[in-house]
Amino acid sequence: MGSTQVEFKNAATSTLLELVKARRTYYGLKAESPISDAAIESIVEASVLHVPSSFNTQTSRVVLLLKEEHQKVWDIAIKAMEGLVAAGQVPKEMYENHTKPKLEAFRAGYGTVLFFVDYESLAPIKEKFAIYADKFDPFALESNAMSQFLVWTALESEGFGANLQHYSPLIDADIQKTWNLPASWKLDAQLVFGTPTSEPGEKVFAPIEDRFKVFGKSA
């Protein structure tokens, strides 16, 4: 199943797909921005407003942290990991040689977007549609993931590099306390971004024939 050149009705479709293809994971970042803070805010705000959610439940909650506020996230993560080392739960050598340099690399970026899900807000719709009650939490995570992907892709389109991290529940309590966030907001992911200082690694694709099938296609 090979890829062929096709013509889209709307030229923006090609642009969108090219942006999706260009989105990669960048670990080498520096604390510089190719665009204004207002432009960054506009990207993140658009994701909150326009990314779809099941039954329009709008369960995603997002916090944008820039400059010194961004650095606090990774200070919290470093402190938490050092606590695990002190408790004997993480080998000191592994922390010093691998984990700490990685966390310091995140800290060296320009900003972090924190993505949360407010599961408590689902209570009324779970009651209203009881037959689907066990589905709404996964639906909320799916919506949150769409927000993460949109922000990631848009930031890279504007010249940033970014990588997505998951340090919950290790950092959750201090994150909530530091920015006085509602207890119902449950942290799901942290998107770190900054001006890239290195290229992304090679991306290897599993055979598309094993992952995608088409039926009823016109010749």
Side-chain angles (χ1 to χ4, degrees), residues 131-140:
I131 193 171
Y132 298 118
D134 64 333
K135 303 294 185 183
F136 285 109
D137 285 4
F139 289 163

Side-chain angles (χ1 to χ4, degrees), residues 29 70 74 105-106 109 111-113 161-165 190-194:
L29 305 172
H70 143 81
W74 304 106
F106 301 153
T112 298
V113 187
N163 60 79
L164 192 67
Q165 300 301 318
Q190 307 89 50
L191 182 69
V192 188
F193 63 93

